[in-house]
Amino acid sequence: HVVGQVDTGARQPAAFSEEDRRAVRRALTTGFFTRAAVRQANGKYLTLDSREEVYIHPSSVLMHRKPACVLFQELVNTSRLYIRELTVIEEAWLAELAPQHFDAAGGSGSF
């Protein structure tokens, strides 16, 4: 009797390339550009649609990374206004993918 690896039928997670991940983030930017927030010099983030100052939620893995630009899916109002469920994007994508809302010079636009 040979003892070997048991095939459980479980599939291994797919390995996505950096190019694949970038394509997904660009697609999310196209659909959710109104949910973008850009880090300001003071460390706070400014939502580009409502122009509100917000903070990354303390439970986020991005809390200490401080990315320059993110998409958020949720605003949480507690002692501060927090953004949660974040995706890191490149600010330049906003002007490229939603030019009707953002100027190419500064990235933040007029709504």
Side-chain angles (χ1 to χ4, degrees):
H1 183 344
V2 176
V3 178
Q5 187 176 12
V6 177
D7 182 7
T8 63
R11 296 182 57 186
Q12 294 294 320
F16 294 102
S17 70
E18 181 57 35
E19 184 178 321
D20 292 338
R21 290 190 294 271
R22 181 180 169 92
V24 169
R25 292 185 301 124
R26 284 177 59 86
L28 288 170
T29 302
T30 300
F32 296 105
F33 63 86
T34 60
R35 300 291 223 157
V38 176
R39 188 181 71 231
Q40 304 299 294
N42 63 8
K44 298 175 187 175
Y45 286 79
L46 184 67
T47 62
L48 297 183
D49 60 346
S50 61
R51 312 302 277 183
E52 294 177 281
E53 283 192 338
V54 296
Y55 300 84
I56 293 178
H57 195 272
S59 66
S60 174
V61 298
L62 296 176
M63 172 84 174
H64 299 292
R65 270 189 55 202
K66 306 287 188 206
C69 192
V70 296
L71 296 177
F72 62 93
Q73 293 303 310
E74 185 177 12
L75 278 170
V76 178
N77 194 0
T78 60
S79 59
R80 290 181 166 178
L81 192 54
Y82 290 107
I83 50 177
R84 292 189 349 174
E85 301 177 25
L86 307 177
T87 301
V88 177
I89 64 168
E90 294 180 24
E91 188 175 354
W93 293 348
L94 295 168
E96 177 187 346
L97 300 172
Q100 67 279 20
H101 295 284
F102 300 96
D103 63 38
S108 58
S110 55
F111 280 86

